[in-house]
Amino acid sequence: EVNDVYGLEDELLMMLPQPVLGLLLLFPITDKYEEYAKELIAKRGDAPISKKVFYMKQTISNACGTVALLHTVCNNTDSIQLQDGALKEFIESSASKTPEEIAETLENSESICNSHDDAAREGQTSAPAREDSVDYHFVAFVRVEDELYELDGRKDGPIPMGKTAPDTFMKDAAKACQEYMRRDPDNIHFTVLALTAKML
């Protein structure tokens, strides 16, 4: 399930249901973000990327939340039991595709696009149309083979952020979110969500 994160301090993070499988950061697109994005890409260089990382490009306007959620879910299929349906079919059909081909599959998935539109209409604020220009963007932070990755469909690939482990992932991902906030300290328009697994 998706949970609001009320703060990135340790005591507030510990209020989240455990385990936390991924963090999703919503932030304003500003010049400071664009500068930081270039820094991250340059810093990545030729760092190796695990072949187990699910990554897709974002080619649908105003679908960054859907893409970030897909990045989080698709990199945690060992912890999430998916029911038969459009999402499971999408993941299975993406196994051998490039990030661009996965994006095209999403574009052509009427059921997922309809689910995206339905979910957007259920929110408490009116959702922008797919073609509208928006000033906010989602990225996802996940753990794959004990590496923390930032996954952003606008960038040209996954960004490795350093080593992590199951018991440190939540705090490590929170630090990555805090770095975005540190780069734009006068901006208060940041939101963090957590994908958590219900333990039965």
Side-chain angles (χ1 to χ4, degrees), residues 129-145:
R130 284 190 207 163
E131 64 279 357
D132 288 353
S133 176
V134 294
D135 299 326
Y136 289 86
H137 187 59
F138 270 104
V139 297
F141 296 93
V142 299
R143 179 182 66 86
V144 179
E145 293 191 318

PDB file of all heavy atoms in Angstrom, residues 129-145:
ATOM      1  N   ALA A 129      -4.959  17.521 -17.350  1.00  0.00           N
ATOM      2  CA  ALA A 129      -5.080  16.654 -18.520  1.00  0.00           C
ATOM      3  C   ALA A 129      -3.687  16.169 -18.901  1.00  0.00           C
ATOM      4  O   ALA A 129      -2.680  16.789 -18.555  1.00  0.00           O
ATOM      5  CB  ALA A 129      -5.707  17.434 -19.679  1.00  0.00           C
ATOM      6  N   ARG A 130      -3.640  15.042 -19.619  1.00  0.00           N
ATOM      7  CA  ARG A 130      -2.340  14.461 -19.971  1.00  0.00           C
ATOM      8  C   ARG A 130      -1.452  15.427 -20.749  1.00  0.00           C
ATOM      9  O   ARG A 130      -0.237  15.391 -20.633  1.00  0.00           O
ATOM     10  CB  ARG A 130      -2.529  13.190 -20.808  1.00  0.00           C
ATOM     11  CG  ARG A 130      -2.955  12.010 -20.003  1.00  0.00           C
ATOM     12  CD  ARG A 130      -2.893  10.757 -20.842  1.00  0.00           C
ATOM     13  NE  ARG A 130      -3.855   9.781 -20.333  1.00  0.00           N
ATOM     14  CZ  ARG A 130      -4.270   8.746 -20.996  1.00  0.00           C
ATOM     15  NH1 ARG A 130      -3.838   8.518 -22.200  1.00  0.00           N
ATOM     16  NH2 ARG A 130      -5.124   7.914 -20.467  1.00  0.00           N
ATOM     17  N   GLU A 131      -2.082  16.313 -21.543  1.00  0.00           N
ATOM     18  CA  GLU A 131      -1.287  17.210 -22.376  1.00  0.00           C
ATOM     19  C   GLU A 131      -0.953  18.536 -21.694  1.00  0.00           C
ATOM     20  O   GLU A 131      -0.189  19.337 -22.222  1.00  0.00           O
ATOM     21  CB  GLU A 131      -2.007  17.471 -23.713  1.00  0.00           C
ATOM     22  CG  GLU A 131      -3.336  18.187 -23.583  1.00  0.00           C
ATOM     23  CD  GLU A 131      -4.515  17.275 -23.197  1.00  0.00           C
ATOM     24  OE1 GLU A 131      -4.332  16.053 -23.078  1.00  0.00           O
ATOM     25  OE2 GLU A 131      -5.621  17.814 -23.002  1.00  0.00           O
ATOM     26  N   ASP A 132      -1.506  18.783 -20.501  1.00  0.00           N
ATOM     27  CA  ASP A 132      -1.224  20.034 -19.796  1.00  0.00           C
ATOM     28  C   ASP A 132       0.227  20.088 -19.330  1.00  0.00           C
ATOM     29  O   ASP A 132       0.843  19.067 -19.039  1.00  0.00           O
ATOM     30  CB  ASP A 132      -2.134  20.181 -18.566  1.00  0.00           C
ATOM     31  CG  ASP A 132      -3.575  20.495 -18.936  1.00  0.00           C
ATOM     32  OD1 ASP A 132      -3.840  20.736 -20.124  1.00  0.00           O
ATOM     33  OD2 ASP A 132      -4.427  20.482 -18.024  1.00  0.00           O
ATOM     34  N   SER A 133       0.743  21.306 -19.219  1.00  0.00           N
ATOM     35  CA  SER A 133       2.092  21.502 -18.692  1.00  0.00           C
ATOM     36  C   SER A 133       2.011  21.565 -17.173  1.00  0.00           C
ATOM     37  O   SER A 133       1.176  22.288 -16.621  1.00  0.00           O
ATOM     38  CB  SER A 133       2.674  22.803 -19.244  1.00  0.00           C
ATOM     39  OG  SER A 133       3.924  23.051 -18.667  1.00  0.00           O
ATOM     40  N   VAL A 134       2.832  20.782 -16.495  1.00  0.00           N
ATOM     41  CA  VAL A 134       2.846  20.793 -15.028  1.00  0.00           C
ATOM     42  C   VAL A 134       4.264  21.102 -14.543  1.00  0.00           C
ATOM     43  O   VAL A 134       5.236  20.912 -15.257  1.00  0.00           O
ATOM     44  CB  VAL A 134       2.371  19.454 -14.430  1.00  0.00           C
ATOM     45  CG1 VAL A 134       0.911  19.200 -14.735  1.00  0.00           C
ATOM     46  CG2 VAL A 134       3.224  18.302 -14.911  1.00  0.00           C
ATOM     47  N   ASP A 135       4.329  21.589 -13.313  1.00  0.00           N
ATOM     48  CA  ASP A 135       5.611  22.025 -12.758  1.00  0.00           C
ATOM     49  C   ASP A 135       6.115  21.103 -11.655  1.00  0.00           C
ATOM     50  O   ASP A 135       6.989  21.488 -10.883  1.00  0.00           O
ATOM     51  CB  ASP A 135       5.468  23.449 -12.209  1.00  0.00           C
ATOM     52  CG  ASP A 135       5.090  24.440 -13.292  1.00  0.00           C
ATOM     53  OD1 ASP A 135       5.535  24.242 -14.438  1.00  0.00           O
ATOM     54  OD2 ASP A 135       4.347  25.390 -13.002  1.00  0.00           O
ATOM     55  N   TYR A 136       5.545  19.908 -11.536  1.00  0.00           N
ATOM     56  CA  TYR A 136       5.961  18.957 -10.505  1.00  0.00           C
ATOM     57  C   TYR A 136       6.329  17.630 -11.151  1.00  0.00           C
ATOM     58  O   TYR A 136       5.844  17.301 -12.231  1.00  0.00           O
ATOM     59  CB  TYR A 136       4.840  18.752  -9.471  1.00  0.00           C
ATOM     60  CG  TYR A 136       4.649  19.955  -8.588  1.00  0.00           C
ATOM     61  CD1 TYR A 136       3.834  21.008  -8.982  1.00  0.00           C
ATOM     62  CD2 TYR A 136       5.310  20.057  -7.367  1.00  0.00           C
ATOM     63  CE1 TYR A 136       3.675  22.130  -8.191  1.00  0.00           C
ATOM     64  CE2 TYR A 136       5.157  21.172  -6.567  1.00  0.00           C
ATOM     65  CZ  TYR A 136       4.346  22.201  -6.980  1.00  0.00           C
ATOM     66  OH  TYR A 136       4.202  23.312  -6.195  1.00  0.00           O
ATOM     67  N   HIS A 137       7.147  16.875 -10.447  1.00  0.00           N
ATOM     68  CA  HIS A 137       7.632  15.615 -11.015  1.00  0.00           C
ATOM     69  C   HIS A 137       7.860  14.596  -9.898  1.00  0.00           C
ATOM     70  O   HIS A 137       8.235  14.960  -8.780  1.00  0.00           O
ATOM     71  CB  HIS A 137       8.938  15.866 -11.772  1.00  0.00           C
ATOM     72  CG  HIS A 137       9.433  14.677 -12.523  1.00  0.00           C
ATOM     73  ND1 HIS A 137       8.713  14.047 -13.506  1.00  0.00           N
ATOM     74  CD2 HIS A 137      10.607  13.988 -12.430  1.00  0.00           C
ATOM     75  CE1 HIS A 137       9.397  13.039 -13.984  1.00  0.00           C
ATOM     76  NE2 HIS A 137      10.553  12.972 -13.348  1.00  0.00           N
ATOM     77  N   PHE A 138       7.628  13.317 -10.194  1.00  0.00           N
ATOM     78  CA  PHE A 138       7.886  12.210  -9.282  1.00  0.00           C
ATOM     79  C   PHE A 138       9.135  11.452  -9.695  1.00  0.00           C
ATOM     80  O   PHE A 138       9.345  11.210 -10.893  1.00  0.00           O
ATOM     81  CB  PHE A 138       6.736  11.188  -9.319  1.00  0.00           C
ATOM     82  CG  PHE A 138       5.622  11.422  -8.345  1.00  0.00           C
ATOM     83  CD1 PHE A 138       4.414  11.954  -8.771  1.00  0.00           C
ATOM     84  CD2 PHE A 138       5.763  11.088  -7.010  1.00  0.00           C
ATOM     85  CE1 PHE A 138       3.368  12.135  -7.896  1.00  0.00           C
ATOM     86  CE2 PHE A 138       4.723  11.261  -6.117  1.00  0.00           C
ATOM     87  CZ  PHE A 138       3.521  11.792  -6.563  1.00  0.00           C
ATOM     88  N   VAL A 139       9.934  11.030  -8.711  1.00  0.00           N
ATOM     89  CA  VAL A 139      10.988  10.041  -8.919  1.00  0.00           C
ATOM     90  C   VAL A 139      10.817   8.962  -7.858  1.00  0.00           C
ATOM     91  O   VAL A 139      10.178   9.185  -6.826  1.00  0.00           O
ATOM     92  CB  VAL A 139      12.418  10.646  -8.843  1.00  0.00           C
ATOM     93  CG1 VAL A 139      12.633  11.661  -9.952  1.00  0.00           C
ATOM     94  CG2 VAL A 139      12.697  11.250  -7.489  1.00  0.00           C
ATOM     95  N   ALA A 140      11.392   7.797  -8.119  1.00  0.00           N
ATOM     96  CA  ALA A 140      11.293   6.675  -7.185  1.00  0.00           C
ATOM     97  C   ALA A 140      12.679   6.287  -6.694  1.00  0.00           C
ATOM     98  O   ALA A 140      13.671   6.397  -7.424  1.00  0.00           O
ATOM     99  CB  ALA A 140      10.638   5.477  -7.880  1.00  0.00           C
ATOM    100  N   PHE A 141      12.729   5.813  -5.452  1.00  0.00           N
ATOM    101  CA  PHE A 141      13.962   5.274  -4.869  1.00  0.00           C
ATOM    102  C   PHE A 141      13.685   3.840  -4.457  1.00  0.00           C
ATOM    103  O   PHE A 141      12.736   3.568  -3.707  1.00  0.00           O
ATOM    104  CB  PHE A 141      14.404   6.109  -3.658  1.00  0.00           C
ATOM    105  CG  PHE A 141      14.772   7.513  -4.022  1.00  0.00           C
ATOM    106  CD1 PHE A 141      13.842   8.532  -3.959  1.00  0.00           C
ATOM    107  CD2 PHE A 141      16.049   7.814  -4.480  1.00  0.00           C
ATOM    108  CE1 PHE A 141      14.163   9.832  -4.320  1.00  0.00           C
ATOM    109  CE2 PHE A 141      16.391   9.111  -4.851  1.00  0.00           C
ATOM    110  CZ  PHE A 141      15.447  10.119  -4.765  1.00  0.00           C
ATOM    111  N   VAL A 142      14.509   2.910  -4.965  1.00  0.00           N
ATOM    112  CA  VAL A 142      14.313   1.486  -4.689  1.00  0.00           C
ATOM    113  C   VAL A 142      15.660   0.834  -4.375  1.00  0.00           C
ATOM    114  O   VAL A 142      16.720   1.388  -4.675  1.00  0.00           O
ATOM    115  CB  VAL A 142      13.656   0.758  -5.892  1.00  0.00           C
ATOM    116  CG1 VAL A 142      12.280   1.327  -6.198  1.00  0.00           C
ATOM    117  CG2 VAL A 142      14.544   0.813  -7.120  1.00  0.00           C
ATOM    118  N   ARG A 143      15.571  -0.350  -3.784  1.00  0.00           N
ATOM    119  CA  ARG A 143      16.771  -1.151  -3.508  1.00  0.00           C
ATOM    120  C   ARG A 143      16.762  -2.362  -4.428  1.00  0.00           C
ATOM    121  O   ARG A 143      15.799  -3.119  -4.468  1.00  0.00           O
ATOM    122  CB  ARG A 143      16.775  -1.625  -2.043  1.00  0.00           C
ATOM    123  CG  ARG A 143      17.999  -2.495  -1.689  1.00  0.00           C
ATOM    124  CD  ARG A 143      17.923  -2.966  -0.232  1.00  0.00           C
ATOM    125  NE  ARG A 143      16.818  -3.876  -0.015  1.00  0.00           N
ATOM    126  CZ  ARG A 143      16.859  -5.199  -0.220  1.00  0.00           C
ATOM    127  NH1 ARG A 143      17.975  -5.769  -0.657  1.00  0.00           N
ATOM    128  NH2 ARG A 143      15.805  -5.945   0.015  1.00  0.00           N
ATOM    129  N   VAL A 144      17.839  -2.527  -5.193  1.00  0.00           N
ATOM    130  CA  VAL A 144      18.011  -3.705  -6.050  1.00  0.00           C
ATOM    131  C   VAL A 144      19.420  -4.232  -5.818  1.00  0.00           C
ATOM    132  O   VAL A 144      20.400  -3.504  -5.999  1.00  0.00           O
ATOM    133  CB  VAL A 144      17.808  -3.364  -7.544  1.00  0.00           C
ATOM    134  CG1 VAL A 144      18.028  -4.608  -8.402  1.00  0.00           C
ATOM    135  CG2 VAL A 144      16.421  -2.779  -7.787  1.00  0.00           C
ATOM    136  N   GLU A 145      19.520  -5.487  -5.405  1.00  0.00           N
ATOM    137  CA  GLU A 145      20.812  -6.127  -5.120  1.00  0.00           C
ATOM    138  C   GLU A 145      21.688  -5.245  -4.220  1.00  0.00           C
ATOM    139  O   GLU A 145      22.866  -5.029  -4.493  1.00  0.00           O
ATOM    140  CB  GLU A 145      21.535  -6.473  -6.435  1.00  0.00           C
ATOM    141  CG  GLU A 145      20.815  -7.556  -7.225  1.00  0.00           C
ATOM    142  CD  GLU A 145      21.639  -8.095  -8.377  1.00  0.00           C
ATOM    143  OE1 GLU A 145      22.288  -7.298  -9.084  1.00  0.00           O
ATOM    144  OE2 GLU A 145      21.639  -9.328  -8.554  1.00  0.00           O
TER     145      GLU A 145
END
